[in-house]
PDB file of all heavy atoms in Angstrom:
ATOM      1  N   GLY A   1      10.809 -10.142  -8.808  1.00 87.00           N
ATOM      2  CA  GLY A   1       9.834  -9.097  -8.681  1.00 87.00           C
ATOM      3  C   GLY A   1       9.176  -8.699  -9.960  1.00 87.00           C
ATOM      4  O   GLY A   1       8.096  -8.103  -9.983  1.00 87.00           O
ATOM      5  N   ILE A   2       9.806  -9.055 -11.092  1.00 89.00           N
ATOM      6  CA  ILE A   2       9.292  -8.673 -12.415  1.00 89.00           C
ATOM      7  C   ILE A   2       7.985  -9.325 -12.684  1.00 89.00           C
ATOM      8  O   ILE A   2       7.799 -10.573 -12.491  1.00 89.00           O
ATOM      9  CB  ILE A   2      10.306  -9.010 -13.455  1.00 89.00           C
ATOM     10  CG1 ILE A   2      11.637  -8.237 -13.280  1.00 89.00           C
ATOM     11  CG2 ILE A   2       9.737  -8.722 -14.877  1.00 89.00           C
ATOM     12  CD1 ILE A   2      12.754  -8.585 -14.214  1.00 89.00           C
ATOM     13  N   GLY A   3       7.027  -8.575 -13.061  1.00 88.00           N
ATOM     14  CA  GLY A   3       5.698  -9.127 -13.364  1.00 88.00           C
ATOM     15  C   GLY A   3       4.705  -9.030 -12.227  1.00 88.00           C
ATOM     16  O   GLY A   3       3.513  -9.341 -12.383  1.00 88.00           O
ATOM     17  N   GLN A   4       5.173  -8.673 -11.024  1.00 91.00           N
ATOM     18  CA  GLN A   4       4.231  -8.577  -9.882  1.00 91.00           C
ATOM     19  C   GLN A   4       3.296  -7.399 -10.064  1.00 91.00           C
ATOM     20  O   GLN A   4       3.595  -6.411 -10.629  1.00 91.00           O
ATOM     21  CB  GLN A   4       5.098  -8.394  -8.588  1.00 91.00           C
ATOM     22  CG  GLN A   4       5.793  -9.617  -8.174  1.00 91.00           C
ATOM     23  CD  GLN A   4       6.452  -9.349  -6.731  1.00 91.00           C
ATOM     24  OE1 GLN A   4       6.207  -8.344  -6.090  1.00 91.00           O
ATOM     25  NE2 GLN A   4       7.217 -10.323  -6.337  1.00 91.00           N
ATOM     26  N   ARG A   5       2.084  -7.653  -9.482  1.00 92.00           N
ATOM     27  CA  ARG A   5       1.046  -6.561  -9.407  1.00 92.00           C
ATOM     28  C   ARG A   5       0.794  -6.307  -7.924  1.00 92.00           C
ATOM     29  O   ARG A   5       0.009  -7.038  -7.275  1.00 92.00           O
ATOM     30  CB  ARG A   5      -0.204  -7.028 -10.108  1.00 92.00           C
ATOM     31  CG  ARG A   5      -0.037  -7.269 -11.624  1.00 92.00           C
ATOM     32  CD  ARG A   5      -1.242  -7.831 -12.279  1.00 92.00           C
ATOM     33  NE  ARG A   5      -2.419  -6.954 -12.075  1.00 92.00           N
ATOM     34  CZ  ARG A   5      -2.743  -5.891 -12.868  1.00 92.00           C
ATOM     35  NH1 ARG A   5      -1.960  -5.612 -13.904  1.00 92.00           N
ATOM     36  NH2 ARG A   5      -3.819  -5.176 -12.653  1.00 92.00           N
ATOM     37  N   ALA A   6       1.533  -5.365  -7.418  1.00 94.00           N
ATOM     38  CA  ALA A   6       1.506  -5.128  -5.956  1.00 94.00           C
ATOM     39  C   ALA A   6       0.481  -4.083  -5.565  1.00 94.00           C
ATOM     40  O   ALA A   6       0.472  -2.938  -6.104  1.00 94.00           O
ATOM     41  CB  ALA A   6       2.908  -4.673  -5.481  1.00 94.00           C
ATOM     42  N   LYS A   7      -0.450  -4.405  -4.681  1.00 96.00           N
ATOM     43  CA  LYS A   7      -1.462  -3.478  -4.225  1.00 96.00           C
ATOM     44  C   LYS A   7      -0.927  -2.589  -3.122  1.00 96.00           C
ATOM     45  O   LYS A   7      -0.237  -3.057  -2.189  1.00 96.00           O
ATOM     46  CB  LYS A   7      -2.726  -4.142  -3.723  1.00 96.00           C
ATOM     47  CG  LYS A   7      -3.514  -4.812  -4.860  1.00 96.00           C
ATOM     48  CD  LYS A   7      -4.868  -5.399  -4.343  1.00 96.00           C
ATOM     49  CE  LYS A   7      -5.657  -5.971  -5.460  1.00 96.00           C
ATOM     50  NZ  LYS A   7      -6.954  -6.522  -4.989  1.00 96.00           N
ATOM     51  N   ARG A   8      -1.243  -1.292  -3.182  1.00 97.00           N
ATOM     52  CA  ARG A   8      -0.865  -0.323  -2.133  1.00 97.00           C
ATOM     53  C   ARG A   8      -2.099   0.493  -1.811  1.00 97.00           C
ATOM     54  O   ARG A   8      -2.689   1.156  -2.679  1.00 97.00           O
ATOM     55  CB  ARG A   8       0.261   0.641  -2.596  1.00 97.00           C
ATOM     56  CG  ARG A   8       1.587  -0.114  -2.986  1.00 97.00           C
ATOM     57  CD  ARG A   8       2.233  -0.701  -1.766  1.00 97.00           C
ATOM     58  NE  ARG A   8       3.529  -1.320  -2.084  1.00 97.00           N
ATOM     59  CZ  ARG A   8       3.678  -2.645  -2.269  1.00 97.00           C
ATOM     60  NH1 ARG A   8       2.589  -3.419  -2.150  1.00 97.00           N
ATOM     61  NH2 ARG A   8       4.851  -3.151  -2.566  1.00 97.00           N
ATOM     62  N   TYR A   9      -2.594   0.439  -0.556  1.00 97.00           N
ATOM     63  CA  TYR A   9      -3.806   1.070  -0.132  1.00 97.00           C
ATOM     64  C   TYR A   9      -3.486   2.522   0.222  1.00 97.00           C
ATOM     65  O   TYR A   9      -2.631   2.828   1.038  1.00 97.00           O
ATOM     66  CB  TYR A   9      -4.436   0.313   1.040  1.00 97.00           C
ATOM     67  CG  TYR A   9      -4.943  -1.043   0.596  1.00 97.00           C
ATOM     68  CD1 TYR A   9      -4.066  -2.154   0.699  1.00 97.00           C
ATOM     69  CD2 TYR A   9      -6.149  -1.226   0.070  1.00 97.00           C
ATOM     70  CE1 TYR A   9      -4.431  -3.394   0.234  1.00 97.00           C
ATOM     71  CE2 TYR A   9      -6.606  -2.520  -0.361  1.00 97.00           C
ATOM     72  CZ  TYR A   9      -5.650  -3.585  -0.342  1.00 97.00           C
ATOM     73  OH  TYR A   9      -6.110  -4.814  -0.738  1.00 97.00           O
ATOM     74  N   TYR A  10      -4.179   3.478  -0.451  1.00 97.00           N
ATOM     75  CA  TYR A  10      -3.821   4.833  -0.378  1.00 97.00           C
ATOM     76  C   TYR A  10      -4.659   5.644   0.579  1.00 97.00           C
ATOM     77  O   TYR A  10      -5.782   5.283   0.868  1.00 97.00           O
ATOM     78  CB  TYR A  10      -3.867   5.532  -1.746  1.00 97.00           C
ATOM     79  CG  TYR A  10      -5.233   5.442  -2.424  1.00 97.00           C
ATOM     80  CD1 TYR A  10      -6.285   6.264  -2.074  1.00 97.00           C
ATOM     81  CD2 TYR A  10      -5.442   4.529  -3.457  1.00 97.00           C
ATOM     82  CE1 TYR A  10      -7.437   6.226  -2.700  1.00 97.00           C
ATOM     83  CE2 TYR A  10      -6.664   4.482  -4.129  1.00 97.00           C
ATOM     84  CZ  TYR A  10      -7.695   5.301  -3.717  1.00 97.00           C
ATOM     85  OH  TYR A  10      -8.879   5.238  -4.356  1.00 97.00           O
ATOM     86  N   ALA A  11      -4.062   6.728   1.079  1.00 96.00           N
ATOM     87  CA  ALA A  11      -4.805   7.735   1.886  1.00 96.00           C
ATOM     88  C   ALA A  11      -4.062   9.087   1.755  1.00 96.00           C
ATOM     89  O   ALA A  11      -2.808   9.061   1.599  1.00 96.00           O
ATOM     90  CB  ALA A  11      -4.909   7.338   3.351  1.00 96.00           C
ATOM     91  N   PHE A  12      -4.743  10.214   1.773  1.00 96.00           N
ATOM     92  CA  PHE A  12      -4.193  11.501   1.780  1.00 96.00           C
ATOM     93  C   PHE A  12      -4.497  12.200   3.075  1.00 96.00           C
ATOM     94  O   PHE A  12      -5.634  12.156   3.531  1.00 96.00           O
ATOM     95  CB  PHE A  12      -4.718  12.335   0.614  1.00 96.00           C
ATOM     96  CG  PHE A  12      -4.323  11.819  -0.736  1.00 96.00           C
ATOM     97  CD1 PHE A  12      -5.084  10.958  -1.425  1.00 96.00           C
ATOM     98  CD2 PHE A  12      -3.190  12.295  -1.381  1.00 96.00           C
ATOM     99  CE1 PHE A  12      -4.731  10.499  -2.725  1.00 96.00           C
ATOM    100  CE2 PHE A  12      -2.770  11.888  -2.618  1.00 96.00           C
ATOM    101  CZ  PHE A  12      -3.515  10.973  -3.290  1.00 96.00           C
ATOM    102  N   ASP A  13      -3.483  12.816   3.689  1.00 95.00           N
ATOM    103  CA  ASP A  13      -3.784  13.623   4.842  1.00 95.00           C
ATOM    104  C   ASP A  13      -4.080  15.063   4.539  1.00 95.00           C
ATOM    105  O   ASP A  13      -4.095  15.481   3.381  1.00 95.00           O
ATOM    106  CB  ASP A  13      -2.634  13.480   5.889  1.00 95.00           C
ATOM    107  CG  ASP A  13      -1.321  14.141   5.457  1.00 95.00           C
ATOM    108  OD1 ASP A  13      -1.354  14.962   4.454  1.00 95.00           O
ATOM    109  OD2 ASP A  13      -0.324  13.867   6.030  1.00 95.00           O
ATOM    110  N   SER A  14      -4.335  15.887   5.521  1.00 94.00           N
ATOM    111  CA  SER A  14      -4.780  17.255   5.284  1.00 94.00           C
ATOM    112  C   SER A  14      -3.650  18.104   4.641  1.00 94.00           C
ATOM    113  O   SER A  14      -3.918  19.158   4.010  1.00 94.00           O
ATOM    114  CB  SER A  14      -5.149  17.917   6.583  1.00 94.00           C
ATOM    115  OG  SER A  14      -4.106  17.855   7.555  1.00 94.00           O
ATOM    116  N   ALA A  15      -2.410  17.648   4.795  1.00 94.00           N
ATOM    117  CA  ALA A  15      -1.297  18.382   4.228  1.00 94.00           C
ATOM    118  C   ALA A  15      -1.000  17.937   2.826  1.00 94.00           C
ATOM    119  O   ALA A  15      -0.047  18.420   2.165  1.00 94.00           O
ATOM    120  CB  ALA A  15      -0.072  18.195   5.079  1.00 94.00           C
ATOM    121  N   GLY A  16      -1.792  16.935   2.297  1.00 94.00           N
ATOM    122  CA  GLY A  16      -1.578  16.404   0.931  1.00 94.00           C
ATOM    123  C   GLY A  16      -0.547  15.340   0.840  1.00 94.00           C
ATOM    124  O   GLY A  16      -0.264  14.821  -0.219  1.00 94.00           O
ATOM    125  N   ARG A  17      -0.031  14.848   1.999  1.00 97.00           N
ATOM    126  CA  ARG A  17       0.876  13.709   1.918  1.00 97.00           C
ATOM    127  C   ARG A  17       0.114  12.381   1.635  1.00 97.00           C
ATOM    128  O   ARG A  17      -1.047  12.248   2.021  1.00 97.00           O
ATOM    129  CB  ARG A  17       1.659  13.586   3.260  1.00 97.00           C
ATOM    130  CG  ARG A  17       2.677  14.652   3.458  1.00 97.00           C
ATOM    131  CD  ARG A  17       3.350  14.576   4.782  1.00 97.00           C
ATOM    132  NE  ARG A  17       2.413  14.808   5.831  1.00 97.00           N
ATOM    133  CZ  ARG A  17       2.753  15.145   7.117  1.00 97.00           C
ATOM    134  NH1 ARG A  17       4.036  15.203   7.462  1.00 97.00           N
ATOM    135  NH2 ARG A  17       1.864  15.324   8.051  1.00 97.00           N
ATOM    136  N   LEU A  18       0.796  11.524   0.904  1.00 98.00           N
ATOM    137  CA  LEU A  18       0.234  10.279   0.440  1.00 98.00           C
ATOM    138  C   LEU A  18       0.787   9.072   1.251  1.00 98.00           C
ATOM    139  O   LEU A  18       1.956   8.951   1.375  1.00 98.00           O
ATOM    140  CB  LEU A  18       0.574  10.091  -1.024  1.00 98.00           C
ATOM    141  CG  LEU A  18       0.262   8.748  -1.696  1.00 98.00           C
ATOM    142  CD1 LEU A  18      -1.201   8.405  -1.717  1.00 98.00           C
ATOM    143  CD2 LEU A  18       0.840   8.698  -3.099  1.00 98.00           C
ATOM    144  N   SER A  19      -0.171   8.363   1.838  1.00 97.00           N
ATOM    145  CA  SER A  19       0.220   7.107   2.574  1.00 97.00           C
ATOM    146  C   SER A  19      -0.138   5.922   1.650  1.00 97.00           C
ATOM    147  O   SER A  19      -1.235   5.800   1.155  1.00 97.00           O
ATOM    148  CB  SER A  19      -0.488   6.992   3.877  1.00 97.00           C
ATOM    149  OG  SER A  19      -0.162   8.028   4.784  1.00 97.00           O
ATOM    150  N   LEU A  20       0.841   5.010   1.506  1.00 98.00           N
ATOM    151  CA  LEU A  20       0.614   3.797   0.801  1.00 98.00           C
ATOM    152  C   LEU A  20       0.869   2.633   1.703  1.00 98.00           C
ATOM    153  O   LEU A  20       2.052   2.488   2.197  1.00 98.00           O
ATOM    154  CB  LEU A  20       1.567   3.695  -0.397  1.00 98.00           C
ATOM    155  CG  LEU A  20       1.387   4.768  -1.496  1.00 98.00           C
ATOM    156  CD1 LEU A  20       2.429   4.632  -2.586  1.00 98.00           C
ATOM    157  CD2 LEU A  20      -0.047   4.652  -2.115  1.00 98.00           C
ATOM    158  N   THR A  21      -0.116   1.787   1.969  1.00 97.00           N
ATOM    159  CA  THR A  21      -0.032   0.717   2.952  1.00 97.00           C
ATOM    160  C   THR A  21       0.038  -0.622   2.206  1.00 97.00           C
ATOM    161  O   THR A  21      -0.822  -0.879   1.308  1.00 97.00           O
ATOM    162  CB  THR A  21      -1.182   0.739   3.893  1.00 97.00           C
ATOM    163  OG1 THR A  21      -1.199   2.029   4.532  1.00 97.00           O
ATOM    164  CG2 THR A  21      -1.022  -0.352   4.976  1.00 97.00           C
ATOM    165  N   THR A  22       0.955  -1.496   2.542  1.00 95.00           N
ATOM    166  CA  THR A  22       1.037  -2.802   1.891  1.00 95.00           C
ATOM    167  C   THR A  22       0.024  -3.733   2.571  1.00 95.00           C
ATOM    168  O   THR A  22      -0.371  -3.574   3.685  1.00 95.00           O
ATOM    169  CB  THR A  22       2.424  -3.393   2.112  1.00 95.00           C
ATOM    170  OG1 THR A  22       2.681  -3.648   3.454  1.00 95.00           O
ATOM    171  CG2 THR A  22       3.516  -2.481   1.541  1.00 95.00           C
ATOM    172  N   PRO A  23      -0.471  -4.775   1.825  1.00 95.00           N
ATOM    173  CA  PRO A  23      -1.344  -5.802   2.412  1.00 95.00           C
ATOM    174  C   PRO A  23      -0.616  -6.462   3.566  1.00 95.00           C
ATOM    175  O   PRO A  23       0.626  -6.604   3.584  1.00 95.00           O
ATOM    176  CB  PRO A  23      -1.562  -6.728   1.268  1.00 95.00           C
ATOM    177  CG  PRO A  23      -1.307  -5.990   0.001  1.00 95.00           C
ATOM    178  CD  PRO A  23      -0.212  -5.045   0.398  1.00 95.00           C
ATOM    179  N   PRO A  24      -1.382  -6.942   4.550  1.00 94.00           N
ATOM    180  CA  PRO A  24      -0.738  -7.620   5.760  1.00 94.00           C
ATOM    181  C   PRO A  24       0.017  -8.857   5.304  1.00 94.00           C
ATOM    182  O   PRO A  24      -0.473  -9.598   4.435  1.00 94.00           O
ATOM    183  CB  PRO A  24      -1.918  -7.936   6.612  1.00 94.00           C
ATOM    184  CG  PRO A  24      -3.015  -7.025   6.188  1.00 94.00           C
ATOM    185  CD  PRO A  24      -2.803  -6.809   4.702  1.00 94.00           C
ATOM    186  N   ARG A  25       1.152  -9.111   5.942  1.00 92.00           N
ATOM    187  CA  ARG A  25       1.904 -10.337   5.648  1.00 92.00           C
ATOM    188  C   ARG A  25       2.388 -10.961   7.012  1.00 92.00           C
ATOM    189  O   ARG A  25       2.524 -10.175   7.972  1.00 92.00           O
ATOM    190  CB  ARG A  25       3.143 -10.026   4.830  1.00 92.00           C
ATOM    191  CG  ARG A  25       2.849  -9.565   3.380  1.00 92.00           C
ATOM    192  CD  ARG A  25       4.082  -9.290   2.613  1.00 92.00           C
ATOM    193  NE  ARG A  25       3.847  -8.872   1.278  1.00 92.00           N
ATOM    194  CZ  ARG A  25       4.797  -8.526   0.436  1.00 92.00           C
ATOM    195  NH1 ARG A  25       6.062  -8.538   0.768  1.00 92.00           N
ATOM    196  NH2 ARG A  25       4.452  -8.150  -0.813  1.00 92.00           N
ATOM    197  N   GLY A  26       2.557 -12.220   7.020  1.00 90.00           N
ATOM    198  CA  GLY A  26       3.065 -12.895   8.177  1.00 90.00           C
ATOM    199  C   GLY A  26       2.140 -13.982   8.662  1.00 90.00           C
ATOM    200  O   GLY A  26       1.099 -14.273   8.058  1.00 90.00           O
ATOM    201  N   GLU A  27       2.453 -14.580   9.849  1.00 89.00           N
ATOM    202  CA  GLU A  27       1.623 -15.623  10.381  1.00 89.00           C
ATOM    203  C   GLU A  27       0.297 -15.082  10.864  1.00 89.00           C
ATOM    204  O   GLU A  27       0.230 -13.947  11.282  1.00 89.00           O
ATOM    205  CB  GLU A  27       2.387 -16.331  11.528  1.00 89.00           C
ATOM    206  CG  GLU A  27       3.729 -16.927  11.173  1.00 89.00           C
ATOM    207  CD  GLU A  27       4.465 -17.475  12.359  1.00 89.00           C
ATOM    208  OE1 GLU A  27       3.842 -17.480  13.459  1.00 89.00           O
ATOM    209  OE2 GLU A  27       5.626 -17.869  12.246  1.00 89.00           O
ATOM    210  N   PRO A  28      -0.777 -15.926  10.744  1.00 90.00           N
ATOM    211  CA  PRO A  28      -2.110 -15.445  11.250  1.00 90.00           C
ATOM    212  C   PRO A  28      -2.003 -14.959  12.679  1.00 90.00           C
ATOM    213  O   PRO A  28      -1.439 -15.583  13.574  1.00 90.00           O
ATOM    214  CB  PRO A  28      -2.914 -16.749  11.179  1.00 90.00           C
ATOM    215  CG  PRO A  28      -2.270 -17.557  10.097  1.00 90.00           C
ATOM    216  CD  PRO A  28      -0.776 -17.297  10.242  1.00 90.00           C
TER     217      PRO A  28
END
C-alpha cells in the first residue's frame, strides 16, 4: 500500500458528517 494515491469522493451532509466514497471496483 505504500506509495498509493487513493481517491476518495467526498460529500458533507446537513449535520456536517463527511462521506468518503471509494472508486468502483469489481467485474464490469
Side-chain angles (χ1 to χ4, degrees):
I2 297 174
Q4 287 188 7
R5 295 174 59 85
K7 289 186 176 182
R8 300 290 183 261
Y9 295 89
Y10 58 76
F12 292 91
D13 66 15
S14 59
R17 286 175 297 196
L18 169 64
S19 295
L20 296 177
T21 303
T22 66
R25 293 181 180 177
E27 300 176 7

